[in-house]
Amino acid sequence: MKHWFIVFVLAAAPAAAQNSSTYTPPRTRDGQPDLQGIWQVLNTASWDIQDHGANLGVPAGHGVVEGNEIPYTPAALAKKQENSRNRQALDPLNK
């Protein structure tokens, strides 16, 4: 009885293709980075990009802002706080 074995040879990718510093992201027609696709937050940045304590429906978490400081104007900071208080009513997916 004969046994046949099929052997697959996998060629290694060139070293340059494996080096992350040589990656060139896709670009739009006008040369800007192409950011199309589905983006999903896998940390607490969907609630606040700065360090934040827990609130009703919002877990505490570390931010993603380096140094954790954003130079808000007083009006912008007030608007951020207002948006945070009203996030349930403002979210179109909750309507």
Side-chain angles (χ1 to χ4, degrees):
M1 181 173 182
K2 292 184 180 181
H3 295 284
W4 294 92
F5 295 95
I6 299 173
V7 177
F8 293 98
V9 177
L10 300 175
Q18 295 176 355
N19 186 345
S20 63
S21 65
T22 60
Y23 173 72
T24 304
R27 300 284 176 166
T28 61
R29 285 187 213 146
D30 61 353
Q32 298 298 314
D34 186 352
L35 302 176
Q36 293 185 67
I38 298 172
W39 293 79
Q40 179 181 4
V41 176
L42 298 176
N43 57 26
T44 61
S46 61
W47 288 282
D48 195 339
I49 61 173
Q50 292 177 282
D51 292 347
H52 55 278
N55 288 310
L56 183 62
V58 178
H62 291 290
V64 295
V65 175
E66 193 170 311
N68 198 43
E69 292 297 323
I70 299 175
Y72 287 109
T73 63
L77 181 58
K79 183 64 174 174
K80 177 190 178 205
Q81 293 167 342
E82 177 188 344
N83 289 344
S84 181
R85 282 190 304 273
N86 299 322
R87 70 182 301 116
Q88 287 294 105
L90 295 172
D91 187 347
L93 297 177
N94 287 330
K95 293 183 179 186

